[in-house]
Amino acid sequence: IFSLDATASRQSTWDVATKLQTEMFLSTQELGGLNVQLCYFRGFGDFYSSSWQSNADELLRTMSGIRCEAGATQIERVLRHSIQENERKKIKCIVYIGDAMEENLDILAQLAGQLGLLSIPVFMFQERNDAVAKEAFIEISRLSKGAYSQFDAASIDQLKELLKAVAIFAAGGLKALQKFSDKSEKPVKLLEQQLRS
């Protein structure tokens, strides 16, 4: 599941996120591809989840039509939705990109722990450096046995490599990620170390 905060604070980087998501698909083709469900939230309780797609063009069309709207975060909804989806079809991992957290951390921690028990790691990628979001994102990734990383507008290339790494992990498992990590920069190596620990 590829999930995004589409609230107003993220409008400036939305086009970049769209391009990165496409590259995430392309990086897994030699491993047999990837089925992805796009989820996002925005506005007053607006939550969207696509059908499962293996076609990058289709998801790119969906993402390019989205406009960010002011509203509160709905990370809890993303995590609950993922647990429900896993009952229908096994999920390998969840990617989340956001910059804020305005929810009850205890509830998010409980859901992250459930995902950890289901062997569904959550990869939390934080834009900018909000301290409250950082604490929550690290805790969600730890409890789900996933990984956390931070980025900003100056480190978009880093996020691109991290998303490729997650896609490779989802398509080929830890061994495929280790092989990719051997040829990658420090952030990817740190991601792999978090997963192994």
Side-chain angles (χ1 to χ4, degrees):
I1 289 181
F2 187 77
S3 55
L4 297 160
D5 175 342
T7 56
S9 62
R10 300 224 43 247
Q11 182 65 59
S12 62
T13 55
W14 189 259
D15 290 343
V16 172
T18 301
K19 290 173 188 161
L20 290 175
Q21 185 265 342
T22 304
E23 292 190 29
M24 187 177 166
F25 269 99
L26 297 174
S27 66
T28 63
Q29 285 183 338
E30 65 189 48
L31 295 170
L34 196 64
N35 281 325
V36 174
Q37 182 184 77
L38 170 67
C39 294
Y40 68 85
F41 57 80
R42 64 181 183 178
F44 182 66
D46 186 6
F47 180 85
Y48 170 85
S49 62
S50 73
S51 59
W52 288 93
Q53 298 281 339
S54 57
N55 183 337
D57 293 338
E58 189 62 37
L59 279 176
L60 181 59
R61 271 194 294 278
T62 302
M63 283 188 73
S64 61
I66 299 168
R67 293 292 163 259
C68 296
E69 295 177 7
T73 61
Q74 298 180 55
I75 301 167
E76 178 184 346
R77 200 158 173 192
V78 169
L79 301 181
R80 287 190 189 282
H81 169 78
S82 300
I83 290 168
Q84 291 171 350
E85 281 295 302
N86 188 64
E87 292 172 5
R88 296 185 199 98
K89 175 181 181 162
K90 175 64 182 157
I91 295 171
K92 296 274 184 81
C93 66
I94 301 161
V95 172
Y96 177 82
I97 301 176
D99 64 351
M101 194 289 291
E102 300 145 336
E103 302 169 63
N104 183 317
L105 181 53
D106 292 330
I107 292 172
L108 298 181
Q110 178 71 22
L111 293 168
Q114 287 178 40
L115 288 162
L117 292 173
L118 293 168
S119 299
I120 305 170
V122 184
F123 294 87
M124 300 294 290
F125 296 118
Q126 181 186 1
E127 184 178 10
R128 293 188 277 274
N129 57 1
D130 179 86
V132 172
K134 182 175 184 176
E135 177 189 358
F137 288 12
I138 288 172
E139 194 65 1
I140 291 167
S141 63
R142 182 184 71 80
L143 289 167
S144 68
K145 302 180 182 119
Y148 163 86
S149 189
Q150 190 175 357
F151 72 98
D152 58 29
S155 58
I156 291 299
D157 284 343
Q158 174 185 317
L159 179 62
K160 177 172 144 183
E161 286 304 296
L162 289 168
L163 287 175
K164 279 186 185 178
V166 173
I168 286 166
F169 169 77
L174 195 53
K175 282 187 179 179
L177 176 59
Q178 286 169 334
K179 189 175 176 183
F180 179 71
S181 174
D182 290 343
K183 301 174 280 183
S184 299
E185 299 294 322
K186 186 178 178 183
V188 171
K189 293 184 192 304
L190 289 173
L191 190 90
E192 185 221 337
Q193 287 168 12
Q194 287 180 65
L195 281 174
R196 280 194 284 123
S197 64

